Amino acid sequence: MGLCYIVIGIHFLISLISYWSFTPNTSMKNKSDYQIAQDQKYDKLFRKSFPFLSRYSGLFFFVPFFYFILYFWLGRIDIVDEPLKTAPFITIIMFSLSIMTLLLFKISDEYHSRDFEIKNKHPFIGLGIYIYIFSVSILCGFTITHFGNYALDFSTGEEHIVTITKSVHYTTRGPKRGVYHHYEIHFMPQVGGHEYLDVPSSLQQRAKENDQLKLYVKNGFFGIPYISSRKELNKE
């Protein structure tokens, strides 16, 4: 799954660069009056020629962006460390192609009927738009598959009982001297390639060496196996 996250990161970068290439820059910072007037003129032209794109284009980027930010920041889900099967990739492709087709169908009409002035002054605007559609469609396909894999999986999962070898709480320094707290439980034998997991502070504080921990491995609705956030501590 690590490779998938790299692909997601690359498409975030591509979509962001392509988004900047065609969206109006309405900021007035460090600009002359002439530059501000030109940007405002382009903004009006863009909104007139691309009403759907100007209104909703950012949505297809920021929804996946905030979803994955929240997932990595707050998530208690650990992907099983094994090669993914073909099923999740087929699902990602299907969702991506569906979103791409809908966007192309909607935005192609706007592109072909765009204002004459924007055709002359921005002849390559279509390239940035179509690259953006391609990249955000893939991002949305990943996001729907990733979210649905957990949200739609109501199975109990396969039970694994492990022995805790170490319960750890430590801190690291972040930017601006911020302090981050980390809570980990180390155990044996491995489960899904993991020898330790990040856990809530309440669980880490109760867990002691030689206690037993019950973990549940689920297959996932779209075939991405993971260790459930459900973790049950059995005291010796």
Side-chain angles (χ1 to χ4, degrees), residues 117-198:
E117 188 174 355
I118 208 169
K119 284 183 181 180
N120 288 337
K121 292 188 175 181
H122 304 276
F124 301 109
I125 191 172
L127 180 62
I129 290 173
Y130 288 118
I131 290 174
Y132 181 73
I133 290 173
F134 174 79
S135 58
V136 297
S137 297
I138 293 175
L139 286 178
C140 290
F142 269 106
T143 303
I144 295 170
T145 303
H146 196 274
F147 174 75
N149 187 70
Y150 312 123
L152 301 176
D153 184 2
F154 301 109
S155 63
T156 303
E158 180 184 354
E159 181 182 295
H160 293 259
I161 297 177
V162 297
T163 301
I164 296 173
T165 58
K166 187 165 52 174
S167 179
V168 181
H169 167 224
Y170 65 94
T171 59
T172 56
R173 290 284 180 181
K176 298 182 180 179
R177 298 184 179 180
V179 177
Y180 294 92
H181 291 265
H182 303 269
Y183 303 92
E184 295 177 354
I185 288 180
H186 296 243
F187 53 82
M188 288 297 291
Q190 292 185 358
V191 175
H194 295 272
E195 294 181 346
Y196 71 91
L197 297 173
D198 293 319

Side-chain angles (χ1 to χ4, degrees), residues 178-232:
V179 177
Y180 294 92
H181 291 265
H182 303 269
Y183 303 92
E184 295 177 354
I185 288 180
H186 296 243
F187 53 82
M188 288 297 291
Q190 292 185 358
V191 175
H194 295 272
E195 294 181 346
Y196 71 91
L197 297 173
D198 293 319
V199 297
S201 60
S202 58
L203 179 59
Q204 184 274 324
Q205 290 168 3
R206 291 187 293 114
K208 305 299 179 185
E209 186 177 346
N210 294 324
D211 286 347
Q212 289 190 324
L213 185 67
K214 191 180 294 183
L215 304 174
Y216 297 87
V217 176
K218 296 188 175 186
N219 290 325
F221 187 80
F222 290 124
I224 305 173
Y226 64 98
I227 301 174
S228 171
S229 58
R230 177 186 174 192
K231 301 173 177 67
E232 300 174 357

Side-chain angles (χ1 to χ4, degrees), residues 15-72:
S15 59
L16 187 60
I17 293 172
S18 58
Y19 181 76
W20 283 337
S21 74
F22 64 82
T23 51
N25 182 2
T26 56
S27 171
M28 298 183 181
K29 188 176 181 180
N30 298 324
K31 290 182 180 178
S32 65
D33 291 340
Y34 175 77
Q35 289 173 319
I36 293 172
Q38 290 297 108
D39 287 342
Q40 289 175 342
K41 183 178 180 181
Y42 175 64
D43 182 46
K44 290 179 181 178
L45 279 173
F46 182 77
R47 291 178 184 275
K48 178 183 176 182
S49 297
F50 298 97
F52 176 85
L53 186 63
S54 62
R55 190 173 300 166
Y56 299 110
S57 59
L59 186 68
F60 295 96
F61 174 84
F62 287 108
V63 169
F65 178 78
F66 285 114
Y67 168 77
F68 281 106
I69 288 293
L70 290 173
Y71 169 77
F72 286 114

